[in-house]
Amino acid sequence: MIKKYIKIKLFGSELMPKACSRMLMITGICALGFPTVSFAQNKDSLRVDTNKAYLNTIIDNWNSVKSRKFQLAGSSTIYGADVNTTPVADISNVMAGRLAGLYTIQSSGASGYDNATLGLRGQTPLIVVDGVIRSFTSFNPNDVKTITVIKDALSTAMFGLRSSNGVVYITTKDRAERKPFEISFSSQYGFLNNLKTPDFITGAAYARLYNEAQQNTNPGSAPFYDAATIAAYQNGTNNPFLQPNTNWYDLVYKKKSAQQRYNVDVAGNSKTYRYYVSLEHFNQDGNFITDDNNAYNTNNFYKRYSVRTNAQMDFNEDITVSLNIFGAIENNNGPGSIASPTPNLGASAIMGSIFATSPLAYAPRNPDGTYGGTAQITNNILANTISTGYIPVDTRTLSADVSLNYKLDDITKGLWAKGVLSINNYYQQYSGRTKTFAIYYPTTVAGTTTYTKSGADGTLQAGTATYSYNGQLKQTYVNFLLGYDKQTGKHEMNVLATYNNDNSLVSYIQLNQIYQNIGLTASYNYGKTYLAELAGVFAGYNRYAPENRWNFLPSLGLGWLLSNESWFKPGVVNYLKLKGTVGQTAWADPSSYYSYIQRYSLGAAGYVFGTSLGSVGGASESGVASNLQAEKALKYELGAEAAFLQNKLNVSVNYYNNRYSDLIRAAGNGYNSGIFGQTYPTENIGRTRYTGIEATINFANEKTNLFNYNVGLNVSLEKSKILSYDEQNLPYSWLYNQGSPVTAGRGYEAIGFYKTGENAANTATLQGYTPQPGDIKYKDLNGDGLINFLDAKQIGTDKPRIFFGLNFGFSYRNFDLSGLFQGILNREVQLNSLSMSAFNNSTGYVLDYTTENRWTPQNTETATLPRLTLGSNTNNTQTSNFWLRKANYLRLKNLEIGYSIPARLISKAKISKLRFFINSYNLFTVTQLDYFDPESLTTGFGNNRIINGGVTLKL
């Protein structure tokens, strides 16, 4: 075989035609049949093998500065190596702290439901996998090639009426990395434990606190727990069945659980075809104990089996076809404590019972092993965990993408066409395999204890269950592209026209939703120094009225590569680029289901007719029609990129200003007249603004065989402001939302606690409530002597939110170490006031944080919590800044250490790589919140720390 090599200048556009880079942004599939790049020794050039292996994306083989030569848009990218160091189930959890502008919060550690919530410049971004919008991020992380966040108007233009929110763009592997044929195997095993285990108060301390709350609620009443009972708990002489003392959390919630991942992938690369195939099994134990006597698993475990095949083939010099197939089977499970659509609801019901039940309420089991309870409490927590059957949920996902690329040089050189068809199916159902249980509650008379049965012991029969549909998606996506690339001397032009149609059935009781885009982009550069790109798209959404269905969205980008000027003298600065984009984006609300059509419901009460007063059925309005249109955004972005010290130090800074208009909001902000007689419809009446700065700094040494290192920092500053919500004329300035941050809450301003002698006669109080000393006191903003909605104001900080990530990596010979610190500043959270209130259901749990430094007659000046009461205290549970907490934190999000066996020791066994590693997730956290994890807060399923180890073998 004779190989022909050509030399390509590092800063030349020949390396990757502009159309290819733009197509990658739009479709994620850049199958144009271009050559495969390999590094040459000459630092200023690359050698290219002109076999038919196409260039998928230069960014994987090129450093970050060089890959941005003609990119005007702002984006951030991470790679498969970053993803694979993080031992998590969901792809969303690998992104925290790694991508500038992307804000993540993981609010739950429940197995199978621990995905992170993503925010991008204040919006919820789209998830795009290999060029197609898909909602799932639960798949094999080893499949990931790159993850890029796309933020500005120019780069998201072709997403049409879904372009305003930005995009998290995931590409998957499609070929062998280094050899014509590669096979890899990896095996991992890890342990999970809670970052914050709740400290429940039990025994004598609980009894004393209960009596205190009882006296505060009903002064002078006889204490529920007498001195002898308290002494028995104190001395440990209590009868465990008649005077139980149970930490329900410790009883049913496991201190440690495990997870496993096994992966096999095969990849190839030749002149005429490329492929990547992977198989994965992931298994994560649940959070609860189980019973070996059961023939089935009642735990809330999560299992996943997935397969991916990506393949491309060149038919000839001009035609390339690609076929990507992905399939996954997911099995969630949960205890059958509640017949619910998802096992997580059953698991959550158990957690709710734990947080609502006194440790002294009843014994988990009676002396004979039967379940305990009381005449009033028959919902035994232990029985709910292990003796109510189970609820399996089965999810099936199948996706198939096929594309055909045709070079049309025979018509005119530089012309090409491409077609993409993607079919995606998702279906979820649950099976109710539940049963009942009986409890036996004790009654003691004259020293004799008898037990009374309540309920019935049910059984599970093989082959019987109740089945229910829980969700589905049928999506067909087509994309047709026509491109033309032309270069004459110093002039280079690229034009791309596209039409795509996304047709999805998201519910079997609704009509399909259809997004359509007709777009054109044109880019030009002169001497690879002066850059310009223009994009325009007509975008439509079928669920809006015909006159509002289509929108035109233009965008423009300009750039200047100063380091390519003849007068630029490289020294300390090796590379410098200035850029800017402006454009309009839009968001068509998918929840708007033909809202412009007035609908009616039959069977209303109707009216009476005739002398007999006979009733005649009628029809009533189902809400009020609203002629909505897409929300809009005008986005500006300015940026600069530079490289210093022979490209070792790379710096990027971007400023954005995004103005949103026509936001869909309910009119009147809750101050509407009730005379209207209907719920007020939503309208396009809101305007907001998001501004911010995003900066990245990366430093890496020259690659050597002995010692290598890299350090990177990304910082994002995000600020928002409500410009208008079309509010009514309100009597006081603090009632308006205008001028407040979008994320700010509204509530009362707490000014301490009521003191002895203060009451409704001499101080402002909550309307209808008689305060007692130790209750939270609120500021009467309007001075009318009442605390009501007219005194609610913005609560929370006006400071911009700052989030950041510091990643680092070192390698010495065969050892490697990498890690990530992630953090957030200026974040405030409103704690759940009920979760912060002991005995909020009169008999519930007591956690240490709910009573520490509470108000008592002996602690009136330094108290930080209100007095204890039984039941929900209307006054103390109001939304106010009293329950506002700073939730800043710094977390060692990820740390991995590995060792690769030297090649000389394994080469004879035909092994190219054998690596052992240990990694971790959420290893430690520094935060101002003493009792809570700063992300999951007071939720029942707190976030986990994961310690994981494994081995990777590559042939």
Side-chain angles (χ1 to χ4, degrees):
M1 178 178 67
I2 299 175
K3 291 187 177 181
K4 178 182 177 183
Y5 291 94
I6 60 176
K7 194 172 185 178
I8 294 182
K9 291 183 178 180
L10 193 59
F11 294 98
S13 64
E14 296 91 344
L15 187 61
M16 182 170 68
K18 179 64 178 179
C20 185
S21 64
R22 188 167 60 249
M23 282 179 62
L24 180 65
M25 193 71 71
I26 298 169
T27 69
I29 307 173
C30 188
L32 299 181
F34 295 122
T36 297
V37 172
S38 59
F39 282 104
Q41 295 300 316
N42 188 335
K43 191 175 181 180
D44 294 327
S45 64
L46 293 177
R47 197 168 69 167
V48 180
D49 185 348
T50 57
N51 64 25
K52 290 304 296 178
Y54 74 83
L55 178 62
N56 183 56
T57 168
I58 197 62
I59 202 167
D60 290 336
N61 299 315
W62 216 9
N63 71 41
S64 60
V65 171
K66 295 168 184 173
S67 68
R68 296 195 299 262
K69 291 298 168 246
F70 302 108
Q71 183 179 321
L72 298 177
S75 65
S76 306
T77 299
I78 59 174
Y79 307 93
D82 303 305
V83 173
N84 288 327
T85 64
T86 310
V88 293
D90 196 276
I91 300 297
S92 63
N93 287 322
V94 309
M95 305 180 198
R98 297 189 184 276
L99 293 157
L102 187 67
Y103 178 77
T104 69
I105 288 291
Q106 184 183 353
S107 58
S108 173
S111 296
Y113 299 89
D114 58 354
N115 59 292
T117 299
L118 306 179
L120 186 59
R121 295 182 175 178
Q123 311 300 315
T124 302
L126 297 176
I127 302 296
V128 177
V129 182
D130 289 332
V132 181
I133 295 174
R134 317 181 209 249
S135 60
F136 58 88
T137 53
S138 178
F139 60 88
N140 185 2
N142 193 61
D143 291 346
V144 173
K145 187 175 187 179
T146 63
I147 300 177
T148 301
V149 290
I150 306 173
K151 314 166 193 177
D152 68 311
L154 182 63
S155 61
T156 62
M158 292 304 164
F159 291 98
L161 296 187
R162 292 180 287 185
S163 58
S164 277
N165 287 17
V167 175
V168 173
Y169 198 105
I170 302 172
T171 63
T172 59
K173 296 176 182 177
D174 60 359
R175 68 186 63 212
E177 296 176 352
R178 296 178 179 86
K179 297 181 178 180
F181 176 78
E182 295 175 347
I183 182 169
S184 300
F185 170 78
S186 66
S187 175
Q188 302 180 45
Y189 191 92
F191 293 99
L192 299 81
N193 67 286
N194 259 359
L195 288 174
K196 294 285 186 179
T197 299
D199 186 6
F200 287 89
I201 295 175
T202 59
Y206 180 94
R208 293 191 189 98
L209 291 170
Y210 185 93
N211 285 348
E212 178 183 324
Q214 180 188 12
Q215 289 302 310
N216 288 338
T217 306
N218 301 299
S221 59
F224 187 83
Y225 296 101
D226 58 31
T229 301
I230 294 176
Y233 283 121
Q234 186 71 45
N235 300 329
T237 58
N238 59 298
N239 184 316
F241 301 108
L242 300 182
Q243 293 176 315
N245 182 23
T246 308
N247 186 321
W248 295 107
Y249 187 91
D250 289 348
L251 178 68
V252 301
Y253 201 95
K254 293 194 300 185
K255 292 181 174 61
K256 184 182 295 183
S257 59
Q259 68 178 30
Q260 304 169 63
R261 173 179 279 123
Y262 304 97
N263 183 81
V264 177
D265 60 69
V266 180
N269 193 352
S270 80
K271 287 185 176 182
T272 58
Y273 62 86
R274 283 76 50 199
Y275 64 88
Y276 170 83
V277 179
S278 75
L279 298 172
E280 181 226 26
H281 169 55
F282 180 84
N283 181 9
Q284 191 174 78
D285 289 346
N287 306 97
F288 300 114
I289 63 169
T290 56
D291 187 352
D292 292 338
N293 294 322
N294 288 329
Y296 45 84
N297 193 341
T298 60
N299 211 347
N300 62 328
F301 64 77
Y302 169 72
K303 293 181 180 180
R304 180 177 68 222
Y305 307 86
S306 67
V307 57
R308 185 182 298 275
T309 63
N310 293 346
Q312 308 88 39
M313 178 175 290
D314 305 321
F315 284 109
N316 53 40
E317 295 261 336
D318 298 325
I319 300 176
T320 298
V321 66
S322 301
L323 177 63
N324 296 348
I325 297 176
F326 170 77
I329 298 174
E330 296 174 86
N331 301 128
N332 293 87
N333 196 70
S337 56
I338 177 174
S340 59
T342 65
N344 193 44
L345 292 182
S348 296
I350 292 176
M351 297 305 297
S353 296
I354 291 173
F355 282 77
T357 304
S358 164
L360 313 185
Y362 59 90
R365 289 189 185 272
N366 297 313
D368 61 356
T370 56
Y371 291 118
T374 70
Q376 294 76 33
I377 305 175
T378 60
N379 197 27
N380 185 290
I381 294 174
L382 177 61
N384 263 307
T385 305
I386 62 176
S387 294
T388 53
Y390 63 108
I391 303 175
V393 173
D394 300 313
T395 305
R396 304 290 184 266
T397 304
L398 180 62
S399 300
D401 307 336
V402 61
S403 67
L404 179 67
N405 186 81
Y406 199 166
K407 294 174 62 177
L408 302 173
D409 288 343
D410 293 340
I411 299 176
T412 182
K413 190 169 181 60
L415 186 66
W416 54 268
K418 182 177 182 179
V420 179
L421 170 65
S422 177
I423 299 175
N424 300 276
N425 283 277
Y426 165 93
Y427 182 80
Q428 185 179 85
Q429 73 171 24
Y430 80 97
S431 307
R433 302 178 184 274
T434 62
K435 70 183 186 70
T436 59
F437 61 88
I439 63 102
Y440 294 80
Y441 61 87
T443 303
T444 301
V445 178
T448 301
T449 301
T450 58
Y451 289 86
T452 304
K453 182 179 181 180
S454 177
D457 290 310
T459 59
L460 288 183
Q461 296 181 358
T464 61
T466 57
Y467 296 93
S468 177
Y469 146 86
N470 194 48
Q472 71 172 11
L473 170 68
K474 294 182 179 180
Q475 178 189 22
T476 302
Y477 173 79
V478 295
N479 195 10
F480 300 100
L481 304 104
L482 182 66
Y484 178 68
D485 309 311
K486 178 71 173 179
Q487 183 171 358
T488 304
K490 292 186 177 182
H491 302 275
E492 182 178 359
M493 180 181 67
N494 311 96
V495 179
L496 176 66
T498 180
Y499 167 77
N500 56 69
N501 181 301
D502 191 333
N503 189 326
S504 298
L505 176 65
V506 297
S507 172
Y508 69 93
I509 61 173
Q510 292 186 354
L511 298 175
N512 291 26
Q513 62 180 22
I514 303 173
Y515 293 91
Q516 298 182 78
N517 299 304
I518 304 170
L520 180 69
T521 66
S523 65
Y524 169 81
N525 80 77
Y526 177 77
K528 306 174 182 63
T529 304
Y530 307 103
L531 320 170
E533 185 167 351
L534 179 68
V537 60
F538 280 100
Y541 180 55
N542 68 315
R543 292 185 174 182
Y544 286 146
E547 65 272 18
N548 294 331
R549 211 162 273 176
W550 290 87
N551 291 262
F552 177 66
L553 307 172
S555 56
L556 170 69
L558 298 173
W560 182 19
L561 193 57
L562 285 78
S563 51
N564 268 8
E565 294 281 9
S566 59
W567 48 260
F568 186 88
K569 304 299 181 184
V572 176
V573 181
N574 311 114
Y575 170 79
L576 181 61
K577 180 172 72 175
L578 303 177
K579 61 181 182 178
T581 65
V582 60
Q584 187 173 49
T585 61
W587 176 258
D589 183 10
S591 65
S592 175
Y593 189 71
Y594 300 99
S595 60
Y596 66 94
I597 299 176
Q598 180 63 59
R599 291 187 288 272
Y600 298 87
S601 297
L602 299 177
Y607 54 92
V608 294
F609 182 78
T611 56
S612 63
L613 300 181
S615 177
V616 178
S620 62
E621 290 181 341
S622 297
V624 177
S626 180
N627 195 10
L628 297 177
Q629 58 181 305
E631 299 179 340
K632 312 293 192 310
L634 183 60
K635 296 185 176 183
Y636 303 87
E637 180 168 314
L638 296 173
E641 299 171 1
F644 306 87
L645 306 176
Q646 301 300 313
N647 290 327
K648 294 180 184 178
L649 178 63
N650 303 305
V651 178
S652 173
V653 179
N654 289 281
Y655 166 79
Y656 65 89
N657 189 320
N658 299 338
R659 297 173 65 93
Y660 293 83
S661 59
D662 291 333
L663 299 181
I664 299 174
R665 296 289 185 270
N669 191 35
Y671 299 108
N672 322 73
S673 169
I675 298 175
F676 184 63
Q678 270 283 2
T679 301
Y680 276 77
T682 55
E683 303 175 71
N684 295 102
I685 56 177
R687 292 188 296 117
T688 60
R689 181 176 65 216
Y690 287 83
T691 57
I693 297 175
E694 297 162 0
T696 61
I697 303 174
N698 294 281
F699 184 85
N701 71 324
E702 293 287 349
K703 299 298 182 182
T704 68
N705 293 325
L706 183 63
F707 178 69
N708 300 290
Y709 64 89
N710 63 81
V711 180
L713 173 68
N714 69 80
V715 179
S716 303
L717 183 151
E718 177 186 291
K719 189 171 185 178
S720 64
K721 185 177 182 180
I722 297 173
L723 302 178
S724 173
Y725 275 175
D726 194 28
E727 297 170 284
Q728 297 177 346
N729 292 325
L730 302 172
Y732 307 109
S733 60
W734 59 83
L735 297 177
Y736 287 94
N737 286 304
Q738 184 173 334
S740 301
V742 176
T743 56
R746 299 191 63 81
Y748 298 132
E749 180 182 347
I751 53 174
F753 301 106
Y754 285 103
K755 299 179 180 179
T756 302
E758 290 184 317
N759 52 51
N762 56 28
T763 190
T765 62
L766 191 70
Q767 199 164 0
Y769 179 81
T770 302
Q772 300 297 320
D775 285 334
I776 301 172
K777 185 178 181 180
Y778 304 109
K779 188 173 184 178
D780 182 13
L781 295 181
N782 67 346
D784 64 356
L786 293 175
I787 302 299
N788 56 26
F789 69 97
L790 294 176
D791 300 298
K793 56 175 284 188
Q794 174 206 322
I795 55 175
T797 180
D798 289 328
K799 296 179 181 179
R801 183 167 57 188
I802 300 172
F803 44 101
F804 57 89
L806 174 65
N807 61 82
F808 57 89
F810 306 92
S811 65
Y812 179 75
R813 294 188 185 275
N814 296 310
F815 289 94
D816 61 87
L817 173 70
S818 64
L820 170 69
F821 285 96
Q822 177 249 342
I824 299 175
L825 299 175
N826 294 338
R827 176 173 176 249
E828 290 186 335
V829 294
Q830 182 76 24
L831 297 180
N832 186 325
S833 58
L834 292 176
S835 298
M836 294 296 297
S837 301
F839 307 111
N840 72 79
N841 70 335
S842 297
T843 60
Y845 68 97
V846 176
L847 286 163
D848 51 2
Y849 62 75
T850 66
T851 63
E852 190 175 82
N853 202 27
R854 67 191 179 279
W855 186 97
T856 66
Q858 297 76 34
N859 183 29
T860 60
E861 300 302 322
T862 62
T864 56
L865 289 174
R867 67 190 180 110
L868 295 180
T869 56
L870 296 180
S872 179
N873 187 304
T874 304
N875 182 85
N876 295 342
T877 55
Q878 293 294 314
T879 301
S880 74
N881 62 349
F882 186 90
W883 302 115
L884 206 62
R885 297 290 187 274
K886 292 182 178 180
N888 304 334
Y889 68 87
L890 173 66
R891 201 194 292 279
L892 181 54
K893 197 72 175 178
N894 179 222
L895 185 68
E896 179 175 278
I897 184 170
Y899 177 74
S900 299
I901 303 298
R904 68 179 186 275
L905 301 180
I906 57 177
S907 58
K908 290 184 179 181
K910 305 300 182 182
I911 298 174
S912 62
K913 183 178 182 180
L914 179 58
R915 180 174 179 266
F916 299 89
F917 60 88
I918 297 175
N919 52 34
S920 63
Y921 179 71
N922 291 342
L923 194 58
F924 73 80
T925 306
V926 179
T927 180
Q928 296 167 280
L929 290 172
D930 295 331
Y931 302 106
F932 323 109
D933 174 75
E935 291 185 88
S936 53
L937 299 174
T938 59
T939 57
F941 295 99
N943 283 341
N944 294 309
R945 177 185 295 108
I946 304 175
I947 306 296
N948 181 76
V951 58
T952 299
L953 173 68
K954 178 173 285 190
L955 303 178

